[in-house]
């Protein structure tokens, strides 16, 4: 699956992604996506990030190395962006594809979670690099209804510690050592505050 606002950077990106997608234990494969200015647009998705869910290391330099490690490492995540995803057709069909209740956003994350719940590993590869000119075709507005549906369907994954994220780090796009913000109560409060904000936008 690929958006129409992409440009290939790594010539062998398709071989790189398919070698993982063909493995029996792998569910969804995601790529490293860069903005036109060579900053990170996608290097994996963390549930609970900033009180909802989001891209780790967003807008960091393309070879960033932070407390979660390098953007140039293979890594498992609960979810990877649908802007560029690869999976076996059998898995896509097994979970019924994307939930069409989402108009535009977060259906990709919902999809990855359903694959994860079947016991498969979702993986990010930094060796398939593409430019993502995000918003060029659809604009930058995210439907509030999609956000609220995301809260409704995936809140439990936001509250629980993300199994692929360090319990010693803050749930922020550029993580810090901040243990006080990483308790279940702190995450619940942050999630509810953000949910109430979007409810007020309806």
């Amino acid at each position: 699956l690929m958006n129409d606002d992409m440009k290939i950077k790594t010539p062998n990106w398709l071989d790189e992604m398919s070698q993982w997608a063909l493995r029996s234990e792998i569910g969804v494969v995601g790529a490293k996506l860069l903005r036109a200015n060579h900053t990170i647009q996608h290097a994996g998705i963390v549930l609970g990030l900033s009180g909802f869910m989001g891209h780790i290391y967003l807008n960091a330099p393309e070879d960033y190395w932070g407390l979660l490690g390098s953007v140039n490492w293979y890594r498992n995540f609960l979810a990877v962006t649908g802007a560029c995803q690869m999976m076996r057709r059998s898995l896509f069909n097994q979970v019924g594809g994307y939930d069409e209740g989402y108009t535009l956003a977060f259906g990709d994350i919902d999809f990855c979670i359903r694959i994860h719940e079947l016991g498969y590993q979702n993986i990010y590869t930094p060796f398939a690099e593409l430019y993502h000119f995000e918003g060029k075709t659809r604009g930058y507005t995210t439907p509030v209804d999609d956000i609220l549906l995301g809260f409704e369907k995936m809140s439990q994954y936001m509250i629980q510690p993300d199994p692929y994220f360090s319990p010693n780090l803050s749930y922020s796009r550029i993580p810090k050592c901040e243990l006080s913000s990483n308790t279940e109560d702190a995450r619940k409060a942050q999630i509810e505050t953000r949910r109430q904000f979007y409810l007020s936008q309806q």
Side-chain angles (χ1 to χ4, degrees), residues 67-91:
L67 293 179
L68 192 64
S70 172
V71 296
N72 293 325
W73 291 350
Y74 288 116
R75 192 183 294 275
N76 290 115
F77 284 101
L78 278 176
V80 290
T81 183
C84 183
Q85 282 182 345
M86 185 180 287
M87 74 294 294
R88 297 184 298 283
R89 180 188 294 271
S90 58
L91 280 182

Side-chain angles (χ1 to χ4, degrees), residues 68-142:
L68 192 64
S70 172
V71 296
N72 293 325
W73 291 350
Y74 288 116
R75 192 183 294 275
N76 290 115
F77 284 101
L78 278 176
V80 290
T81 183
C84 183
Q85 282 182 345
M86 185 180 287
M87 74 294 294
R88 297 184 298 283
R89 180 188 294 271
S90 58
L91 280 182
F92 185 85
N93 292 338
Q94 187 174 347
V95 298
Y98 275 33
D99 181 346
E100 294 186 13
Y102 295 94
T103 303
L104 180 63
F106 308 113
D108 51 353
I109 301 174
D110 178 282
F111 172 75
C112 285
I113 287 176
R114 286 183 281 128
I115 295 291
H116 168 80
E117 288 173 343
L118 293 177
Y120 295 97
Q121 299 176 48
N122 298 323
I123 187 172
Y124 157 80
T125 171
F127 301 107
E129 290 184 285
L130 301 92
Y131 292 101
H132 184 194
F133 305 110
E134 188 179 24
K136 288 291 186 181
T137 52
R138 71 167 179 84
Y140 294 97
T141 302
T142 300

Side-chain angles (χ1 to χ4, degrees), residues 11-173:
N12 67 336
W13 69 282
L14 200 57
D15 291 337
E16 169 64 24
M17 295 183 76
S18 61
Q19 72 172 345
W20 291 103
L22 289 170
R23 295 181 64 93
S24 61
E25 72 274 21
I26 299 298
V28 186
V29 184
K32 178 181 178 182
L33 305 184
L34 303 173
R35 298 191 187 281
N37 64 359
H38 301 280
T39 59
I40 295 295
Q41 193 275 326
H42 172 263
I45 293 170
V46 174
L47 275 290
L49 200 71
S50 303
F52 188 49
M53 58 188 83
H55 295 196
I56 196 71
Y57 290 156
L58 183 70
N59 298 323
E62 64 178 311
D63 294 315
Y64 188 75
W65 181 300
L67 293 179
L68 192 64
S70 172
V71 296
N72 293 325
W73 291 350
Y74 288 116
R75 192 183 294 275
N76 290 115
F77 284 101
L78 278 176
V80 290
T81 183
C84 183
Q85 282 182 345
M86 185 180 287
M87 74 294 294
R88 297 184 298 283
R89 180 188 294 271
S90 58
L91 280 182
F92 185 85
N93 292 338
Q94 187 174 347
V95 298
Y98 275 33
D99 181 346
E100 294 186 13
Y102 295 94
T103 303
L104 180 63
F106 308 113
D108 51 353
I109 301 174
D110 178 282
F111 172 75
C112 285
I113 287 176
R114 286 183 281 128
I115 295 291
H116 168 80
E117 288 173 343
L118 293 177
Y120 295 97
Q121 299 176 48
N122 298 323
I123 187 172
Y124 157 80
T125 171
F127 301 107
E129 290 184 285
L130 301 92
Y131 292 101
H132 184 194
F133 305 110
E134 188 179 24
K136 288 291 186 181
T137 52
R138 71 167 179 84
Y140 294 97
T141 302
T142 300
V144 173
D145 286 347
D146 282 0
I147 297 171
L148 293 174
L149 183 58
F151 276 113
E152 178 185 331
K153 294 191 66 179
M154 295 181 274
S155 61
Q156 194 55 44
Y157 278 93
M158 301 177 215
I159 293 167
Q160 296 171 351
D162 188 309
Y164 301 112
F165 190 74
S166 173
N168 302 304
L169 299 177
S170 63
Y171 275 66
S172 50
R173 297 191 188 280

